[in-house]
Amino acid sequence: MKALVLSGGSGTRLRPFSYSMPKQLIPIANKPVLEHVLTAIRDLGVTDVGIVVGNQLRAISGALGDGSDLGVRITYIPQDEPLGLAHCVAIARDFLGDDDFVMYLGDNMLPDGVADIAAEFRARRPAAQVVVHKVPDPQAFGVAEVAVDGSVLRLVEKPARPRSDLALVGVYFFTPAVHEAVAAIAPSARGELEITDAIQWLVARGETVRASEYSGYWKDTGQVEDVLDCNRELLRTLTRSVAADVDEASEITGPVVVESGARVVRSRIEGPAIIGAGTLVEDSHVGPYTSVGSDCVLRDTRLDDSIVLDGASLVRVRGLYGSVIGRSAAIATVPAPETAPDTDPETAESTPADTATSRHRLVVGDHTRIEVAA
């Protein structure tokens, strides 16, 4: 079995981050979403992976390389423009050959894995097997109508009046029969080759198409709130590991990972949280559900329930929550303009990070500089 990972979307809902990085490289618990996806695929025993990429080939290949660090072999498949999921299957035809394959959307997180569903597919080998999940708002998804025996009766994309609450979650298993279906369908009203149309074509031809329900945690990391929610979910699984320099004046409680090369000075870190390699946390309080990337600086700062990407700097920033701070962004509190001439920002008296009560939320893109008047 091979794998086809789709990573060609533009990620408009994740701006400003998707202006400067592919949405599939947004870090969850300090690892890019795509890295989590490839790990999940490897856990299925699949190591030959094709990744469909758009105009972010350089960024994605730069982050993942040939896949050897993750135990897989990656073939990059360029897509000039996003023309639908079935179009991705069509342009990957040479890579896929006549092998069975799993198709996985590159911005989907299913941390509980689909190993049991993959085993079912291998045992039965239907023409297609879709993974579904019960949702409260099926109008927003492709929906499967499923018989009692698990066979798919009908697939409908974003139905106005859903006859089922089983949404397609973006993981599909196919035999080579899907290639004939992809070749037979026409573009939809939005000009794309829809994978739901291809699967429906198989159903109409009398091919066996099955659905398997995934009941674990699932998130499409397409918006900032989804990214933060997914970060919380993965941080809950952390095992405490402190492989860094933590001074005697600091306190670390709960499941906290402090990676090698980081330094914690006169600070408090409450888990679940992760501090990346080379990061300095000084005179600060890092609360639960926070991931801080590599080579960051947190000085006299308090934050919780947030994501800080590599190289960011936070100085005298108190009460951040539910925030996402981009790569190499710099945020600092400075003296108010009327007091600036007489005040040295390095020695000015201020409320300690541990006792600050104000709360702020920031979503800041890469290489942004923000100065907040005290």
Side-chain angles (χ1 to χ4, degrees), residues 6 83-90 103 105 172 192-195:
L6 312 188
L83 295 175
L85 305 190
H87 179 257
C88 294
V89 175
M103 186 168 79
L105 300 192
Y172 311 80
E192 297 187 1
L193 291 176
E194 310 285 357
I195 198 65

Side-chain angles (χ1 to χ4, degrees), residues 278-348:
T279 286
L280 170 65
V281 180
E282 183 177 71
D283 297 318
S284 296
H285 184 164
V286 177
Y289 302 110
T290 298
S291 60
V292 180
S294 300
D295 301 315
C296 296
V297 173
L298 274 63
R299 182 174 285 121
D300 194 11
T301 287
R302 176 165 185 161
L303 77 161
D304 60 79
D305 190 23
S306 297
I307 298 173
V308 181
L309 277 67
D310 293 350
S313 170
L314 303 175
V315 178
R316 293 183 297 277
V317 182
R318 288 74 178 271
L320 277 186
Y321 77 101
S323 297
V324 183
I325 309 300
R327 295 175 297 182
S328 299
I331 303 173
T333 299
V334 299
E338 62 270 22
T339 62
D342 303 317
T343 308
D344 181 351
E346 295 297 328
T347 59

Side-chain angles (χ1 to χ4, degrees), residues 78-100:
Q79 185 183 36
D80 293 336
E81 54 182 319
L83 295 175
L85 305 190
H87 179 257
C88 294
V89 175
I91 64 174
R93 185 69 175 89
D94 289 344
F95 165 77
L96 295 169
D98 291 325
D99 293 311
D100 295 351

